[in-house]
Amino acid sequence: MVKLPEKFLEWNYFARRKIVQEILEKRIKDPTKFFLEFTRHNPALCTAAEENGRIVVNGKIVGIGYIPKKEYLKNYIEIFEKHIENSDKIFEKIKNNNIKLKELYDQHAKRGLKLLLEYMYLKREEAFEKINFEKLATIELAKRIPYSSKHTWNLIQKNRYVCLLFFQPPAISFEIKGYATIYENGDYHKLVNLIHDCYHYTPPEKRKNRPVYIIDVLEVYDNSATKSGFGTKIA
């Protein structure tokens, strides 16, 4: 494994911290800027494996996130569980009231963003102390959907080596090669699902069958259309 380099973290992790702050402070007025900034969160997850004598490849857009170092896992689980449990109690009382549900989703998202800023998207010194910058995480949301092709899920059973491709128009691009471990239970599985639901409130009955991929970072490339890019290895 290698650590994500400063160049990537400045563009991705610390820029995410800034955008969360701006959302909470209602400083983003232009929706175009919001969607452009969101590309830091949504790379293509590329997978490949041999099937019936040929190499099958697949790519899909995912939400990718960070996880704390192992010694902080239990504490983080308790914090995010409490947040979601509070919303669950409200949900049970209003689940048939669409107007109240919208209010719940909005309030839950705002509280969740504050938690993410406090515990996940940290100032520089604390971030390097608490966040594991050798790993990235995502949830396999498609597996629970009956009509999904499940291409990623099927391929990753046969080959765990994956690639994450980030692109922010017009020129910024990073490529991360890694090895994915699948978690269907345990602390990593629990925490990554909690972090997802921390902002996107998900009713309890829809939280089942959501495996987690923890991706160990092996190599990082700057693919940007710049003098320092075009596939330059930076880690």
mmCIF file with all atom_site columns, all heavy atoms in Angstrom, residues 177-190:
data_model
loop_
_atom_site.group_PDB
_atom_site.id
_atom_site.type_symbol
_atom_site.label_atom_id
_atom_site.label_alt_id
_atom_site.label_comp_id
_atom_site.label_asym_id
_atom_site.label_entity_id
_atom_site.label_seq_id
_atom_site.pdbx_PDB_ins_code
_atom_site.Cartn_x
_atom_site.Cartn_y
_atom_site.Cartn_z
_atom_site.occupancy
_atom_site.B_iso_or_equiv
_atom_site.pdbx_formal_charge
_atom_site.auth_seq_id
_atom_site.auth_comp_id
_atom_site.auth_asym_id
_atom_site.auth_atom_id
_atom_site.pdbx_PDB_model_num
ATOM 1   N N   . LYS A 1 177 ? -4.924  3.106   -8.640  1.00 0.00 ? 177 LYS A N   1
ATOM 2   C CA  . LYS A 1 177 ? -4.990  1.658   -8.773  1.00 0.00 ? 177 LYS A CA  1
ATOM 3   C C   . LYS A 1 177 ? -4.971  1.065   -7.367  1.00 0.00 ? 177 LYS A C   1
ATOM 4   O O   . LYS A 1 177 ? -4.185  1.500   -6.512  1.00 0.00 ? 177 LYS A O   1
ATOM 5   C CB  . LYS A 1 177 ? -3.826  1.136   -9.614  1.00 0.00 ? 177 LYS A CB  1
ATOM 6   C CG  . LYS A 1 177 ? -3.851  1.612   -11.066 1.00 0.00 ? 177 LYS A CG  1
ATOM 7   C CD  . LYS A 1 177 ? -2.712  0.991   -11.867 1.00 0.00 ? 177 LYS A CD  1
ATOM 8   C CE  . LYS A 1 177 ? -2.663  1.559   -13.280 1.00 0.00 ? 177 LYS A CE  1
ATOM 9   N NZ  . LYS A 1 177 ? -3.840  1.215   -14.085 1.00 0.00 ? 177 LYS A NZ  1
ATOM 10  N N   . GLY A 1 178 ? -5.827  0.062   -7.142  1.00 0.00 ? 178 GLY A N   1
ATOM 11  C CA  . GLY A 1 178 ? -5.905  -0.475  -5.799  1.00 0.00 ? 178 GLY A CA  1
ATOM 12  C C   . GLY A 1 178 ? -6.410  -1.903  -5.760  1.00 0.00 ? 178 GLY A C   1
ATOM 13  O O   . GLY A 1 178 ? -6.715  -2.511  -6.799  1.00 0.00 ? 178 GLY A O   1
ATOM 14  N N   . TYR A 1 179 ? -6.475  -2.419  -4.557  1.00 0.00 ? 179 TYR A N   1
ATOM 15  C CA  . TYR A 1 179 ? -6.954  -3.786  -4.314  1.00 0.00 ? 179 TYR A CA  1
ATOM 16  C C   . TYR A 1 179 ? -8.149  -3.701  -3.375  1.00 0.00 ? 179 TYR A C   1
ATOM 17  O O   . TYR A 1 179 ? -8.054  -3.137  -2.279  1.00 0.00 ? 179 TYR A O   1
ATOM 18  C CB  . TYR A 1 179 ? -5.859  -4.649  -3.695  1.00 0.00 ? 179 TYR A CB  1
ATOM 19  C CG  . TYR A 1 179 ? -6.270  -6.092  -3.497  1.00 0.00 ? 179 TYR A CG  1
ATOM 20  C CD1 . TYR A 1 179 ? -6.130  -7.021  -4.529  1.00 0.00 ? 179 TYR A CD1 1
ATOM 21  C CD2 . TYR A 1 179 ? -6.816  -6.526  -2.288  1.00 0.00 ? 179 TYR A CD2 1
ATOM 22  C CE1 . TYR A 1 179 ? -6.520  -8.343  -4.355  1.00 0.00 ? 179 TYR A CE1 1
ATOM 23  C CE2 . TYR A 1 179 ? -7.204  -7.844  -2.107  1.00 0.00 ? 179 TYR A CE2 1
ATOM 24  C CZ  . TYR A 1 179 ? -7.064  -8.745  -3.146  1.00 0.00 ? 179 TYR A CZ  1
ATOM 25  O OH  . TYR A 1 179 ? -7.455  -10.047 -2.970  1.00 0.00 ? 179 TYR A OH  1
ATOM 26  N N   . ALA A 1 180 ? -9.276  -4.260  -3.810  1.00 0.00 ? 180 ALA A N   1
ATOM 27  C CA  . ALA A 1 180 ? -10.518 -4.145  -3.047  1.00 0.00 ? 180 ALA A CA  1
ATOM 28  C C   . ALA A 1 180 ? -10.765 -5.372  -2.169  1.00 0.00 ? 180 ALA A C   1
ATOM 29  O O   . ALA A 1 180 ? -10.684 -6.509  -2.640  1.00 0.00 ? 180 ALA A O   1
ATOM 30  C CB  . ALA A 1 180 ? -11.696 -3.956  -3.997  1.00 0.00 ? 180 ALA A CB  1
ATOM 31  N N   . THR A 1 181 ? -11.069 -5.118  -0.917  1.00 0.00 ? 181 THR A N   1
ATOM 32  C CA  . THR A 1 181 ? -11.529 -6.165  -0.006  1.00 0.00 ? 181 THR A CA  1
ATOM 33  C C   . THR A 1 181 ? -13.014 -5.950  0.237   1.00 0.00 ? 181 THR A C   1
ATOM 34  O O   . THR A 1 181 ? -13.451 -4.826  0.480   1.00 0.00 ? 181 THR A O   1
ATOM 35  C CB  . THR A 1 181 ? -10.761 -6.114  1.319   1.00 0.00 ? 181 THR A CB  1
ATOM 36  O OG1 . THR A 1 181 ? -9.358  -6.271  1.052   1.00 0.00 ? 181 THR A OG1 1
ATOM 37  C CG2 . THR A 1 181 ? -11.213 -7.225  2.252   1.00 0.00 ? 181 THR A CG2 1
ATOM 38  N N   . ILE A 1 182 ? -13.785 -7.026  0.166   1.00 0.00 ? 182 ILE A N   1
ATOM 39  C CA  . ILE A 1 182 ? -15.235 -6.948  0.332   1.00 0.00 ? 182 ILE A CA  1
ATOM 40  C C   . ILE A 1 182 ? -15.604 -7.219  1.788   1.00 0.00 ? 182 ILE A C   1
ATOM 41  O O   . ILE A 1 182 ? -15.156 -8.201  2.379   1.00 0.00 ? 182 ILE A O   1
ATOM 42  C CB  . ILE A 1 182 ? -15.944 -7.971  -0.573  1.00 0.00 ? 182 ILE A CB  1
ATOM 43  C CG1 . ILE A 1 182 ? -15.583 -7.720  -2.044  1.00 0.00 ? 182 ILE A CG1 1
ATOM 44  C CG2 . ILE A 1 182 ? -17.454 -7.916  -0.382  1.00 0.00 ? 182 ILE A CG2 1
ATOM 45  C CD1 . ILE A 1 182 ? -16.020 -8.839  -2.971  1.00 0.00 ? 182 ILE A CD1 1
ATOM 46  N N   . TYR A 1 183 ? -16.442 -6.335  2.337   1.00 0.00 ? 183 TYR A N   1
ATOM 47  C CA  . TYR A 1 183 ? -16.941 -6.522  3.705   1.00 0.00 ? 183 TYR A CA  1
ATOM 48  C C   . TYR A 1 183 ? -18.467 -6.559  3.671   1.00 0.00 ? 183 TYR A C   1
ATOM 49  O O   . TYR A 1 183 ? -19.110 -5.631  3.170   1.00 0.00 ? 183 TYR A O   1
ATOM 50  C CB  . TYR A 1 183 ? -16.477 -5.377  4.610   1.00 0.00 ? 183 TYR A CB  1
ATOM 51  C CG  . TYR A 1 183 ? -14.998 -5.395  4.900   1.00 0.00 ? 183 TYR A CG  1
ATOM 52  C CD1 . TYR A 1 183 ? -14.100 -4.759  4.044   1.00 0.00 ? 183 TYR A CD1 1
ATOM 53  C CD2 . TYR A 1 183 ? -14.484 -6.047  6.017   1.00 0.00 ? 183 TYR A CD2 1
ATOM 54  C CE1 . TYR A 1 183 ? -12.735 -4.768  4.287   1.00 0.00 ? 183 TYR A CE1 1
ATOM 55  C CE2 . TYR A 1 183 ? -13.125 -6.068  6.273   1.00 0.00 ? 183 TYR A CE2 1
ATOM 56  C CZ  . TYR A 1 183 ? -12.249 -5.429  5.411   1.00 0.00 ? 183 TYR A CZ  1
ATOM 57  O OH  . TYR A 1 183 ? -10.905 -5.446  5.658   1.00 0.00 ? 183 TYR A OH  1
ATOM 58  N N   . GLU A 1 184 ? -19.027 -7.636  4.210   1.00 0.00 ? 184 GLU A N   1
ATOM 59  C CA  . GLU A 1 184 ? -20.483 -7.744  4.322   1.00 0.00 ? 184 GLU A CA  1
ATOM 60  C C   . GLU A 1 184 ? -20.936 -7.728  5.777   1.00 0.00 ? 184 GLU A C   1
ATOM 61  O O   . GLU A 1 184 ? -22.127 -7.856  6.068   1.00 0.00 ? 184 GLU A O   1
ATOM 62  C CB  . GLU A 1 184 ? -20.971 -9.004  3.606   1.00 0.00 ? 184 GLU A CB  1
ATOM 63  C CG  . GLU A 1 184 ? -20.678 -8.962  2.103   1.00 0.00 ? 184 GLU A CG  1
ATOM 64  C CD  . GLU A 1 184 ? -21.300 -10.107 1.335   1.00 0.00 ? 184 GLU A CD  1
ATOM 65  O OE1 . GLU A 1 184 ? -22.527 -10.071 1.120   1.00 0.00 ? 184 GLU A OE1 1
ATOM 66  O OE2 . GLU A 1 184 ? -20.547 -11.037 0.972   1.00 0.00 ? 184 GLU A OE2 1
ATOM 67  N N   . ASN A 1 185 ? -19.989 -7.567  6.681   1.00 0.00 ? 185 ASN A N   1
ATOM 68  C CA  . ASN A 1 185 ? -20.279 -7.402  8.102   1.00 0.00 ? 185 ASN A CA  1
ATOM 69  C C   . ASN A 1 185 ? -19.021 -6.851  8.766   1.00 0.00 ? 185 ASN A C   1
ATOM 70  O O   . ASN A 1 185 ? -18.005 -6.627  8.104   1.00 0.00 ? 185 ASN A O   1
ATOM 71  C CB  . ASN A 1 185 ? -20.699 -8.730  8.756   1.00 0.00 ? 185 ASN A CB  1
ATOM 72  C CG  . ASN A 1 185 ? -19.737 -9.859  8.427   1.00 0.00 ? 185 ASN A CG  1
ATOM 73  O OD1 . ASN A 1 185 ? -18.532 -9.781  8.709   1.00 0.00 ? 185 ASN A OD1 1
ATOM 74  N ND2 . ASN A 1 185 ? -20.236 -10.913 7.803   1.00 0.00 ? 185 ASN A ND2 1
ATOM 75  N N   . GLY A 1 186 ? -19.082 -6.624  10.052  1.00 0.00 ? 186 GLY A N   1
ATOM 76  C CA  . GLY A 1 186 ? -17.909 -6.128  10.780  1.00 0.00 ? 186 GLY A CA  1
ATOM 77  C C   . GLY A 1 186 ? -17.862 -4.603  10.826  1.00 0.00 ? 186 GLY A C   1
ATOM 78  O O   . GLY A 1 186 ? -18.732 -3.902  10.311  1.00 0.00 ? 186 GLY A O   1
ATOM 79  N N   . ASP A 1 187 ? -16.810 -4.088  11.463  1.00 0.00 ? 187 ASP A N   1
ATOM 80  C CA  . ASP A 1 187 ? -16.711 -2.651  11.735  1.00 0.00 ? 187 ASP A CA  1
ATOM 81  C C   . ASP A 1 187 ? -16.603 -1.806  10.464  1.00 0.00 ? 187 ASP A C   1
ATOM 82  O O   . ASP A 1 187 ? -17.232 -0.743  10.364  1.00 0.00 ? 187 ASP A O   1
ATOM 83  C CB  . ASP A 1 187 ? -15.511 -2.368  12.650  1.00 0.00 ? 187 ASP A CB  1
ATOM 84  C CG  . ASP A 1 187 ? -15.765 -2.790  14.084  1.00 0.00 ? 187 ASP A CG  1
ATOM 85  O OD1 . ASP A 1 187 ? -16.934 -3.062  14.433  1.00 0.00 ? 187 ASP A OD1 1
ATOM 86  O OD2 . ASP A 1 187 ? -14.791 -2.859  14.863  1.00 0.00 ? 187 ASP A OD2 1
ATOM 87  N N   . TYR A 1 188 ? -15.786 -2.243  9.507   1.00 0.00 ? 188 TYR A N   1
ATOM 88  C CA  . TYR A 1 188 ? -15.663 -1.454  8.272   1.00 0.00 ? 188 TYR A CA  1
ATOM 89  C C   . TYR A 1 188 ? -17.005 -1.376  7.553   1.00 0.00 ? 188 TYR A C   1
ATOM 90  O O   . TYR A 1 188 ? -17.419 -0.315  7.079   1.00 0.00 ? 188 TYR A O   1
ATOM 91  C CB  . TYR A 1 188 ? -14.615 -2.061  7.338   1.00 0.00 ? 188 TYR A CB  1
ATOM 92  C CG  . TYR A 1 188 ? -13.192 -1.703  7.671   1.00 0.00 ? 188 TYR A CG  1
ATOM 93  C CD1 . TYR A 1 188 ? -12.192 -2.686  7.705   1.00 0.00 ? 188 TYR A CD1 1
ATOM 94  C CD2 . TYR A 1 188 ? -12.818 -0.392  7.938   1.00 0.00 ? 188 TYR A CD2 1
ATOM 95  C CE1 . TYR A 1 188 ? -10.880 -2.370  8.006   1.00 0.00 ? 188 TYR A CE1 1
ATOM 96  C CE2 . TYR A 1 188 ? -11.508 -0.062  8.243   1.00 0.00 ? 188 TYR A CE2 1
ATOM 97  C CZ  . TYR A 1 188 ? -10.538 -1.054  8.273   1.00 0.00 ? 188 TYR A CZ  1
ATOM 98  O OH  . TYR A 1 188 ? -9.237  -0.733  8.567   1.00 0.00 ? 188 TYR A OH  1
ATOM 99  N N   . HIS A 1 189 ? -17.683 -2.509  7.462   1.00 0.00 ? 189 HIS A N   1
ATOM 100 C CA  . HIS A 1 189 ? -18.979 -2.541  6.797   1.00 0.00 ? 189 HIS A CA  1
ATOM 101 C C   . HIS A 1 189 ? -19.959 -1.610  7.505   1.00 0.00 ? 189 HIS A C   1
ATOM 102 O O   . HIS A 1 189 ? -20.670 -0.819  6.866   1.00 0.00 ? 189 HIS A O   1
ATOM 103 C CB  . HIS A 1 189 ? -19.515 -3.973  6.789   1.00 0.00 ? 189 HIS A CB  1
ATOM 104 C CG  . HIS A 1 189 ? -20.885 -4.099  6.212   1.00 0.00 ? 189 HIS A CG  1
ATOM 105 N ND1 . HIS A 1 189 ? -22.021 -4.119  6.994   1.00 0.00 ? 189 HIS A ND1 1
ATOM 106 C CD2 . HIS A 1 189 ? -21.313 -4.198  4.930   1.00 0.00 ? 189 HIS A CD2 1
ATOM 107 C CE1 . HIS A 1 189 ? -23.084 -4.224  6.229   1.00 0.00 ? 189 HIS A CE1 1
ATOM 108 N NE2 . HIS A 1 189 ? -22.686 -4.279  4.967   1.00 0.00 ? 189 HIS A NE2 1
ATOM 109 N N   . LYS A 1 190 ? -19.988 -1.692  8.812   1.00 0.00 ? 190 LYS A N   1
ATOM 110 C CA  . LYS A 1 190 ? -20.922 -0.884  9.587   1.00 0.00 ? 190 LYS A CA  1
ATOM 111 C C   . LYS A 1 190 ? -20.625 0.608   9.435   1.00 0.00 ? 190 LYS A C   1
ATOM 112 O O   . LYS A 1 190 ? -21.530 1.416   9.163   1.00 0.00 ? 190 LYS A O   1
ATOM 113 C CB  . LYS A 1 190 ? -20.853 -1.283  11.062  1.00 0.00 ? 190 LYS A CB  1
ATOM 114 C CG  . LYS A 1 190 ? -21.876 -0.579  11.945  1.00 0.00 ? 190 LYS A CG  1
ATOM 115 C CD  . LYS A 1 190 ? -21.784 -1.054  13.392  1.00 0.00 ? 190 LYS A CD  1
ATOM 116 C CE  . LYS A 1 190 ? -22.302 -2.467  13.533  1.00 0.00 ? 190 LYS A CE  1
ATOM 117 N NZ  . LYS A 1 190 ? -22.357 -2.902  14.956  1.00 0.00 ? 190 LYS A NZ  1
#
